[in-house]
Structures are given as structure tokens and as C-alpha cells.
Amino acid sequence: MTVSEPLVLGIESSCDETGVGIVRGRTLLANAIASSMDEHARFGGVVPEVAARAHLEAMTPTIERALADAGVELEDLDAIAVTSGPGLAGALMVGISAAKALAIALDKPLYAVNHLVGHVGADILHAEGLREAVGSVGDLKLPTIALLVSGGHTSLLLVRDLVGDVELLGETIDDAAGEAFDKVARLLGLPYPGGPEIDRVAARGDATAIRFPRGLTRPKDLERHRYDFSFSGLKTSVARWVERQVALGEEVPVADVAASFREAVADVLLTKAIAACRDQGVPRLLLGGGVVANARVRELARERTEAAGIELRVPPLSLCTDNGAMIASLGAQLVAAGHAPSGLEFGADSTLPVETVQVV
């Protein structure tokens, strides 16, 4: 099947957001999202069983909302795309089951795609006002380095071809950056999700007040983990610092701790991303994932890329967090490139390697 401007519906259910997007080629028509974040807040993190149940309840209404927003009918679709992995197995199964049911009922081709590569696919989408919202100019050029940062993933990718050549350069060896934000927020008595709360509090703090460690940046670490990340030690360092303040009877300066922690995370992320651009000879960097909503991460990314002469690409924040539009976008590119559908034999793969753009 080869269609130059295919109409594709994409389903994303890898974590706690039920996303359904519809695109026509590279044009975004709908991006409907239902989040179960409030249901997880009392647990201080995502509970897989709760997430799967929430996906089940939200799937049909979210599909209906996306169709209404796009002004299309199910019968108009050229293909269905769905996240096969990585992610929470139970949550993935809900989206996969819905996609398979639609494909069978409508007799439409089905494309099972990689969640992480989908984040890169988000940046090629166009809609009125969409590109101007983030200041990017023109279409994404390849190759690109992609820094994907969320609650479940912190990865550096080299993307030579969106649908056929993606290489994992490095990833977190313990906590993801978003996970570290949640845990540090809990230490500081801030509510879940931690990322937005730390960002809010850090705005009135001093980022130079405390020099927290930058994981895997020492020369001996860089020999084996040049592009890898580690935030577990940083989280522990924050905990020990807070404990010492309490033991001394001193007040914990929450804003300064939050700002200093946020600075350490942003510093490591951008130091390694810029190094990857230089090492690989790629003069562009794409950011994706929910942590991109962090004000300091975006600010430091602009500073570092401008200083290095590197083009910075940041999709609109609505397309940075998990969403169905990015999955539909990747599916549409697979269709346009003439890739065969995935069939119905695939399942949820919680550890799907990034090099597998499409599960066949």
C-alpha cells in the first residue's frame, strides 16, 4: 500500500495517557488525549493496573472525539497505527486490542510502531499556527539527534531515516529524568506529578545554591557511558542533603533545592546531547517527551545549541507528551514509504528496542 497523503488514525496507550490522533500525510487533523494522572496522584506514581483500566474506559470516547475533531469517519481512514512498545505491558495491550479490532472491523491495514520513534515523528506535523508556536522553521532535516525525556524514558537517538534507520546512542541506566523529578518532589513535600511542581517552585529559587552531582560525566564514566544517563545518585544526593538540614534543625530551602536539582538534570541532559551532535557531526537537536515542558530544560537547550551552532527543534508541548498524533504521523510515513502492514500477530513489547521502528 502506497498513498502519498494517507489518512491515518494513531493510538497511544503506553503509560497513563490515552491518545488518539488523526493525520493526513504530515497535516495534523486531531489530537485527542485523556489522562488518568489524577487517578495515580494518591499513589505518588503510575500504577500499571490503574492505567490499563483507565485506558479501557477512555478508549472509545477518545476515538470518537478525535474523529469529530478531524471531521472524518472511520470508513475514510487509509490505515490504523498503534504503539506496540516500549511501555507498560497492560496499558499497551488495551491500545493494541482497540487497534486490532478497528483494523479487522474496517478491513484496514494496521501498523505497529515504536513509541520512542513516534516522538520524533511528532516534529514533522503541520497545522495552522503549530510551527510558529515553537519557533521552528521548515521541515525536520535528517539525520538528527533526538533527546527524549519523560517519566519512563531518557534516551539519545541518532535518527538517519525516520522509518528505517534509528540508532540508540545512550539511555538511562537507572531512573529516568521524569521519575527522578517525581521522587525528589516527594522528598520536598510537593504533590505528584513532580515535574511541573519542581518547575514552579524552582522559578523562585537559586540554581547555584547547591552543587548537586552530574551523573556519568566524570572522565572515567564517559569512557563507558558517554551518552548514557544516571539520575539515581542525584536523587540520593538530594535526599541526603535534605536529611542533613533536618538533623541540624535547619529549615529546608525548598525553592533552592528544587532549582539546584533542576539545574543538575538540565545540565546533564544538554551536555550529553550537544556532545552527541558534535561527535556524530549532526548540526541539529530534537527534543521530545514530557520533561521538555520544563522551563529550564528548554531555556538551557536554546543557550547551548545557539552557542554550538546547532539547530534546535522542539515540537509544541501538546505533541511532546505522549499522544496519538505522533503515532499516526509515524504510521503515515510508513504508509507513504510503501511499507507493508504489520498484520495481527504482534503483541505488546514493554522493552521494544528503538531500532525496531515497525513491528512486522
Side-chain angles (χ1 to χ4, degrees):
M1 176 184 180
T2 304
V3 181
S4 60
E5 293 287 320
L7 182 66
V8 179
L9 180 146
I11 296 176
E12 154 61 27
S13 67
S14 65
C15 192
D16 62 339
E17 290 173 318
T18 307
V20 179
I22 300 176
V23 306
R24 188 183 300 279
R26 297 189 174 202
T27 301
L28 175 64
L29 303 181
N31 184 30
I33 298 174
S35 175
S36 61
M37 186 179 296
D38 290 345
E39 298 177 49
H40 302 283
R42 67 191 181 102
F43 302 107
V46 176
V47 179
E49 293 82 0
V50 173
R53 190 177 303 112
H55 285 307
L56 189 61
E57 294 172 355
M59 188 60 67
T60 297
T62 309
I63 291 173
E64 292 173 346
R65 181 152 51 97
L67 291 167
D69 291 346
V72 301
E73 303 291 336
L74 284 172
E75 293 74 15
D76 299 330
L77 299 172
D78 292 310
I80 311 290
V82 65
T83 298
S84 179
L88 302 174
L92 289 166
M93 279 190 262
V94 177
I96 290 171
S97 297
K100 288 183 177 180
L102 285 174
I104 293 170
L106 300 170
D107 192 25
K108 302 291 185 180
L110 178 60
Y111 291 79
V113 304
N114 192 297
H115 169 84
L116 294 179
V117 183
H119 277 294
V120 182
D123 192 55
I124 69 172
L125 290 173
H126 298 273
E128 185 176 354
L130 191 62
R131 198 53 55 195
E132 291 79 2
V134 291
S136 300
V137 179
D139 289 334
L140 172 66
K141 300 180 180 66
L142 296 175
T144 188
I145 298 296
L147 173 63
L148 308 181
V149 194
S150 68
H153 307 283
T154 303
S155 307
L156 264 178
L157 314 182
L158 171 57
V159 184
R160 301 183 185 91
D161 181 346
L162 182 60
V163 298
D165 191 352
V166 179
E167 179 184 348
L168 178 66
L169 297 178
E171 60 187 344
T172 182
I173 64 174
D174 42 54
D175 291 350
E179 184 181 4
F181 271 98
D182 289 338
K183 291 179 177 178
V184 169
R186 192 179 309 133
L187 283 169
L188 297 177
L190 301 175
Y192 175 87
E197 291 298 323
I198 285 183
D199 210 24
R200 177 182 62 82
V201 172
R204 59 177 187 269
D206 180 1
T208 65
I210 310 157
R211 174 70 185 185
F212 287 125
R214 273 64 168 162
L216 299 183
T217 58
R218 294 180 298 180
K220 68 174 186 178
D221 293 324
L222 290 173
E223 292 178 10
R224 294 182 54 228
H225 297 286
R226 182 162 183 77
Y227 303 129
D228 290 324
F229 302 93
S230 172
F231 297 106
S232 180
L234 170 59
K235 172 200 67 183
T236 301
S237 180
V238 174
R240 298 293 85 82
W241 195 93
V242 170
E243 288 172 0
R244 284 194 297 271
Q245 288 294 107
V246 172
L248 292 171
E250 300 286 343
E251 181 181 353
V252 176
V254 173
D256 288 347
V257 174
S260 299
F261 164 74
R262 183 180 69 165
E263 187 69 19
V265 173
D267 185 16
V268 170
L269 290 174
L270 273 305
T271 295
K272 298 217 168 200
I274 296 297
C277 289
R278 287 172 170 158
D279 295 348
Q280 303 296 325
V282 176
R284 61 193 63 89
L285 173 64
L286 167 68
L287 303 186
V291 176
V292 174
N294 185 281
R296 182 54 180 157
V297 170
R298 296 198 309 276
E299 179 183 34
L300 192 60
R302 294 189 190 99
E303 293 174 4
R304 297 277 179 90
T305 52
E306 285 180 7
I310 293 169
E311 177 192 3
L312 177 65
R313 305 281 304 192
V314 186
L317 295 185
S318 62
L319 296 180
C320 285
T321 55
D322 294 347
N323 63 86
M326 69 185 193
I327 302 305
S329 175
L330 183 53
Q333 296 311 302
L334 288 165
V335 173
H339 286 235
S342 298
L344 297 173
E345 295 75 25
F346 70 92
D349 187 344
S350 59
T351 59
L352 183 68
V354 72
E355 289 83 3
T356 303
V357 177
Q358 178 193 359
V359 179
V360 295

